[in-house]
Amino acid sequence: MKDIREDIAWAKINQDVMKSLENPRKIYWVILFFAVLMFAVGIGCEVYQYQVGMGVANLDNPHVWGLYIATFIFWIGMSHSGTLLSAILHLMHADWRKPIYRFAEAMTTFSLMTAGLFVMVHLGRLWQFYYAVPYPNERWVWPNFQSPLLWDAMAIFTYLSSSVLFLFVGMIPDLAIARDNLQSGWRKKLYTLLALGWEGTDRQWRNFRVTYLTIACFLIPLAVSVHSIVASDFGMSQQPGWHVTSFPPYFVAGALYSGCAAIITLFIILRYVFKFEEYMTLPILKKIVRLTFAIAMVWTYLNCVEFASVWYSHDGVSKDLLIQKMTGPYAPFWWAMIFCGSVVPFVFAIKRFQTHIPVLFATSLLLNLGMWLERWMIVAPTFSHGYYPWTWDHDQWPSMIQWGIVFGSFGWFTLLFMVFCKVFPSVSMYEVKEMVYHRTLHLKKNEIGETAEQGAH
Amino acid sequence: MYRFLRLPILLVGLFMAVSCYAVNDSQPTLTTEDDLGPQVAQPIEFPHYRHAGNRNTVDPTNSDPTKGGMEINCQYCHTYARRSLTAGIPPLQKCIGCHQNIPSVRDKPRIVELFKYWDAKKAVPWKKVHDLPDFVRFTHERHIKRFIEQQGRPVQEVCGYCHGQVKEMVTARRQKPITMGWCVSCHMKEHVVAAKADIPEGGTPIGKQAYWYTFQKPAETKNAAGELTAKGPNDCWLCHK
Amino acid sequence: MTATNLLENWASVRHFHPIDDKPHDPYKWAMAIDLDACTGCNACAVACYAENNLPVVGREKFLHGQSMHWMRIERYWEEDGREFPDQGFQFLPMMCQQCEAAPCETVCPVGATNHTQDGLNSQIYNRCIGSRYCSANCPFKVRYFNWYDYPTTENVWPAEMNRQLNPDVTVRGKGVMEKCTFCVQRLRAAEVTAKGEGRIVREGEVQTACQQACPASAISFGNLVDPESRVHKQWLTQQVDLDKDKQDKDQKEGGSDLRGYRILEELRPYPSVMYLERVRESAV
Amino acid sequence: MIDSGSEKHLAGHPFDRRDFLKVLGWSGTAVALSGCGNTSIEDGKETVVSYVEAKDYVIPGVAVYFNSTCAQCDAGCSISGKVREGRVLKLEGNPDSAINKGKMCGVGQAGVQHHYNPDRVREPLLRNGDKGETITWEKAYALIAEKLAAVKGEEIAFLTGGVSGHQKVLLGNYLDSLGTKNHFVYEAVSPGVVRAANLKAYGVEMPRYRIDKAKVVLSFGADFLGAWVSPVHFSQQYAQFRRGVDGQRGVLIQAESKMTLTGANADRWLAVRPGTEGILALGIINALGTATGDVAELVKGYDKARVSRDTGVEPSNIDKIAALLKLRSPSLVLAGSAAEGYAHGSQNAAAINLLNQVLGNVGKTIEAPVSVPFPQMSPAKGNTAALKTLNDDLAAGKYKVLFNVATNPVFTAPASYKFRDNMARAGFKVAFAHYLDETALQADLVLPLDSAMEDWGTSVPEYLTEGAQINIQQPLMERLHPNTRGLGDIVLALIKQRRADEYKGFDDYYGYLRGAMLQNKGALGGGGSDDDNFWNDTLSRGIVKLAGPSASLNASMATAGLKLPAPVEIDEHYPFQLIPSVTSSLRDGRHTNQPWLQESPDPLTTIVWDSWVEMHPKKATEMGIVEGDIVEVTSKTGSVKAQVYLFPGIYPDAVSIPIGRGHDAMGRYAKGYGVNPFQIMDSVFESATGELAMHETRVNITKTGQRVIVVKDEGPAGGMQMGRKIAARVSTDQVDLSKEV
């Protein structure tokens, strides 16, 4: 099967994608409604928490971090897939990325925004968050540049702004198409404004290519660094279970993993909701699935590395913690993580399932769950089983407020994502055209080659 | 045709401008004389100029109350300042102690008001003028010891560092910003260290230097006049605890 | 700290470890707790509540592990299968160890916890934004977070009870981290007085609230730099040094017959609290 | 420090003596509570605090310390109250006192929470149906006069806790004036049996114990570090004892059925079958083998095998202890509440005292006590027998008017007394109360008392240490609630109703006290100094130290009548012995409404805010009980339900519930937390003294099927250190203590 039909007309591409902006399937509104609902629940919980204090999250004194930080890492992780698809694969000239990189990139941006929210939600004094921003102030005090948390804030902010830029720059030609296809209305005004006067001249295309490539190159190290820094929040501390040198690659692998899993989920949803069957084809899905499987195995390997390094070190405390994870109150979650993260992906190895949409959908959700559990298993057990036995905790169970905010974050993300797909073309028109062009070029070449061969005889 | 570059250029320019500001102007404007705080209404309009103001050279008896003051030392009334964190307001008893012997002004409205409080045995509800945030614990004692007692600087000058020209005011009004950066700006300055020559034998090194910590040891820093100088302490836990 | 400060001497603002060439002078506050004298009576903990405006959180919040005791008395016994704890329990007063290389200090994003020049690990409430990273990185778990706004919580400081609050200590609102300060308000008052008189704080001139209350005088506290101080002498006798790697007794083969040790010193946070091991009579 | 005599006149106003005590500039919550509140400069919003008149030593921002006496228990520690801007902030120990030498226990420090307690009674209340109606003091006094006029002297009863000093004198005079001798001095937790046994053995009720001089302390359930007699003083002695006499570290051995704080600090803790402490003591005498004559005859039957069988203590341990006691002298043997709490408590205590005599400790570590040279001021010691008598009398309808001075028998009397009902038989009940506790709620008239931080007084502690002393109590701040009164003031007002002429010279109790003290200036060591100087000096010290007469010890080894019963067999229906434990922070429950004490973890179990049933893990496993199970503890008299805590420091056939919680009145911090073991206590009395035998209740434990999470400080790791070096321990042969500083 082919990634995309070669005979698809350019006008039809325009038409199909533009149609997705106008009339998606009814299910779109259902999803949007639930997203708003979930977001409202999250907001409600946050307002309550803001008013009353962090205690309503049922965190306690040794156990000071909970789902907020775990979910924060989860969202940061999600953001890596966009970069992977759009930047890394772009540099590698992997053609098949073209119909799907746009939404992956959007996913990056929005999951970063969601992650950023968790940094805020987590703060005890949210209203003083600006103390962490390095700006000249009347107090003559700077934030602490030694703190990984500050690096984190900066890295996320840089990554977010770069991602937004990348998403935006990559969208300019499409925005121009959208602008030109519309006669009037707010959309026309919006696209006109954002298209920055794109006319498709050669010079513009040349500048565009250079800019796009530059940002792509810039973004890759940034993406790696962001999650390495998130990993250093833990790795730089001295707590058992965190003080592991393999954390940065482990986190990055985990990030790519969860990102890919999320892409599969969203791929399936978008394909159906916006009727993108022509563009988001099953062969492309198959490629992502294989990629995901590969990353899953890398992640599994790094997981083993972590256990092994704990095991052969003489650090009794870390060993204790690892055993505690496997057998203690968190054991069900820990084993669920191992199952979802390392066993479930073998579904992807089965050829029959590589294009089986219901199975893929369910599996990708399981993978995401596994990755979320992984983050939780990094954060929570260390607190309940650290250096100091007196403060060992009972299994600290998050309160409904904490769950509510985590729940709400999914609503917030879905809301942003769904609105984006409705407002902006979520399939890159110009790149798909390129892809089709390249494919036909390839065909033509083959034809020419064949004729030439025949001619030689 | 370069229209699409307008927005990026604008954004980059904005960023650069902010950065330049940040680098150049990272020390906000601090001391200005005209940075007056609000005028605070007090229960009795206490005339600082009359008590602390300079003597009228033409009329040394100061018979005209609108001209010239008594040059009373700030610490005569604000006696707690040298012994406590707070400068405080003297007990009413102190006002009466003098004023019961000054019959000439006894029937002035302010004094009548003052005696009303005294007769009712009620403290005058003075309003705070220099009201720092609750988590700031500035110590008057240390600053007075440092500048008035150790260095022998004039009282009104030392008090004036933070309180401005109170001797020219009626009721006190804030003149300095008294923000944290403003405090720190003074602590970052090289101040002359008054090494009293007559520190007794066995006096600790700290007796000879104005600053606590050797890492900020003033010993080697000398100003143009050859005096030892040093910065103030830079420890959050001095004021916030 | 200003930009200049930041660019020029960042390191000197942050590091006061005993390992550099900057010895503490003239103060380094430290403690020694004799576990053989400690009876576990809790007087020190109550003294801490009284001195430092600690909120009483109540049953429900205590249940959720949200208690605020800066000083907690831990109780241990050897559970080696014996029927009765017939060798007695061991009590351990645990509070912030005021580490010299404190793991909490480096991680605070806003620099709300810093090392002071007299060897304390400061916690600035009004600077804290409540990221709780310090607590996450504290191996002793002696940092306590204000999960609720205790000043306005019912029955924490109801009318009249709030008049007991120590005006020298900030009452913490919700969302800030707090911990034992070695009664810094007392230390600073003593330092200011001493400085005004051109001397250093004398041994015995300043006491922490817990030390003052302790009926068995198990806690000694003082200036480690001052050769006259009891703490200095105790540390010296026990061959305990701020820098763990300089402790002679650790090099001694077969262990030493000294009782002094610091908890988790192998992590090298250089704690400022030395404990003296509990002794048990071998004849019974 | 307080200048009363030289009244200064300034602009026509006399200087107010107590002006400094006034609260300065308290603007409600704003001052202290907005710690993280306003973050910027605010001008002209707050009012500056200032005085009208001030003493030189009163400086805003600088604390002033006033010496007084702690009233939280009867140990009589001297305190130094930190006062700032007219508010008392903290209670610290007064270093001049020989009793506490500047140290304080948690209970004492919580005294400020008693003073500032929001649940204090603020106005005189008169019963009107189920409600209390606020009345004026004049009306209250008039009402009392009216009621007293209608009854005969012997129909009036007074119930108080331990009293001493001028209060006792004045109260005695008042009782005289009423023509009644019915003064019941009641303490729910008191060493009454030990006092009686000591009187027999040593000729004094409470000798001076010199733990600091002893090389071995063998304590039979005396929790001298936690709640017994004078814990702060003993803790200091204990520290000295551990540091060692002649370089030899003291050895503490504790024998008891339920581990106390002292037991937890012992080098060897012996789990003794409840009630067999005396047998163990005799067994040790036997093992010592040094006794002669009568004593040898007495202990003959107590060979190791039998003693071990009876007490549950291993023979090897008896040998070791005997050997140690022989080797290291002097030693000290203490009889505490665990030994005295049985029907044969006196016998137990006598056997234990006999051990002391055999060891020759009398005169070495047991010294003669001193007493104040004013017998009328020496303490009236409380016990439980007094309540029993009162209760019987009330039941018989002997009293028409009952005065209760701040005791709480409705809470602390065993339910079988039916005290609440019997109390109702007295026609008119007056309660002098700090809180509306269970007993005050039964009263017809409630008179609000000043806190110890507002009141004047003198007291003499029962347990005096080096030399005699009279403790002074003085106000540390002005009255928090204008309508509370000191006990002395109330009694003075009441006595004026009877003997107006004699007392008309005294405006208030302060005047009376000052007068009385000045009268005896010479005897109080103030001879020669002028009245004001003497008085000011006394107040600033807070203590009057005296050379008191010393009683002499009479060390007769009386074995006559010493006969110990065999240990009781396990009762099928009630297989457990109930040990109501006295904890160091709650004692008899009068301070339960002080939140610091509620949140102060019990040292042994680390439980807060609740009661628990202590069970040995072995027994619990047999019964299928785990930590947090709610069990029903049933005695012959009643039952309570509480959570189980598995605790190895208890004899397996015993369970323990702490005293002090389970209030159903008193205040917000006390009401509804925990259970009250007095409710299930059987009325068994000590045979010789008539004291309540608190350990004689037998109970049955049944599971209710409910389970809760125990609210405690320890984590799931419990007392384990998991191989980390946290609370390290070393044995004496591995350490050299002689070089230590």
Side-chain angles (χ1 to χ4, degrees), chain D residues 238-260:
Chain D
Y238 168 81
Q240 194 63 41
F241 153 84
R242 284 304 200 192
R243 238 160 259 150
V245 188
D246 312 330
Q248 190 171 37
R249 178 179 175 275
V251 184
L252 173 62
I253 302 157
Q254 183 93 356
E256 58 199 0
S257 322
K258 182 260 180 258
M259 189 185 260
T260 56

Side-chain angles (χ1 to χ4, degrees), chain D residues 489-671:
Chain D
D489 280 320
I490 300 174
V491 176
L492 190 70
L494 290 177
I495 202 168
K496 277 182 182 171
Q497 293 174 349
R498 298 260 153 185
R499 298 177 177 171
D501 289 348
E502 256 176 74
Y503 290 90
K504 68 172 183 249
F506 307 113
D507 288 344
D508 51 10
Y509 183 60
Y510 166 75
Y512 171 80
L513 195 67
R514 187 169 186 266
M517 292 287 281
L518 291 180
Q519 212 173 12
N520 290 305
K521 201 168 66 176
L524 294 170
S529 65
D530 107 297
D531 279 5
D532 288 334
N533 283 349
F534 166 73
W535 181 240
N536 289 343
D537 196 43
T538 303
L539 292 188
S540 70
R541 281 198 219 146
I543 312 166
V544 181
K545 290 189 182 174
L546 299 164
S550 188
S552 58
L553 291 184
N554 128 48
S556 64
M557 287 199 215
T559 53
L562 180 51
K563 192 167 178 302
L564 289 164
V568 281
E569 295 303 316
I570 288 177
D571 183 337
E572 237 176 86
H573 302 289
Y574 299 104
F576 291 97
Q577 195 91 25
L578 173 72
I579 301 179
S581 60
V582 182
T583 64
S584 56
S585 51
L586 292 179
R587 312 279 170 97
D588 65 359
R590 71 178 79 170
H591 302 310
T592 315
N593 204 38
Q594 293 157 27
W596 286 342
L597 299 179
Q598 276 278 28
E599 196 148 305
S600 196
D602 171 61
L604 300 175
T605 59
T606 77
I607 293 174
V608 293
W609 287 101
D610 210 344
S611 299
W612 64 93
V613 180
E614 243 161 73
M615 275 188 92
H616 194 275
K618 194 177 82 181
K619 206 76 188 179
T621 317
E622 277 171 26
M623 298 176 68
I625 290 172
V626 298
E627 182 184 302
D629 273 348
I630 303 275
V631 293
E632 184 162 16
V633 184
T634 318
S635 74
K636 289 186 195 108
T637 339
S639 76
V640 291
K641 284 179 190 168
Q643 55 184 357
V644 165
Y645 181 79
L646 303 188
F647 184 69
I650 190 166
Y651 190 79
D653 286 332
V655 294
S656 170
I657 303 176
I659 288 172
R661 290 201 175 91
H663 282 279
D664 47 22
M666 196 174 204
R668 64 193 76 183
Y669 302 109
K671 189 179 172 184

Side-chain angles (χ1 to χ4, degrees), chain B residues 4 7 41 48 70 76 87 109 120 125 143 158 180 209 241:
Chain B
F4 77 99
L7 188 60
H48 277 98
M70 311 290 294
Y76 181 78
H143 289 87
V158 173
M180 177 167 160
Q209 51 169 274
K241 39 190 181 263

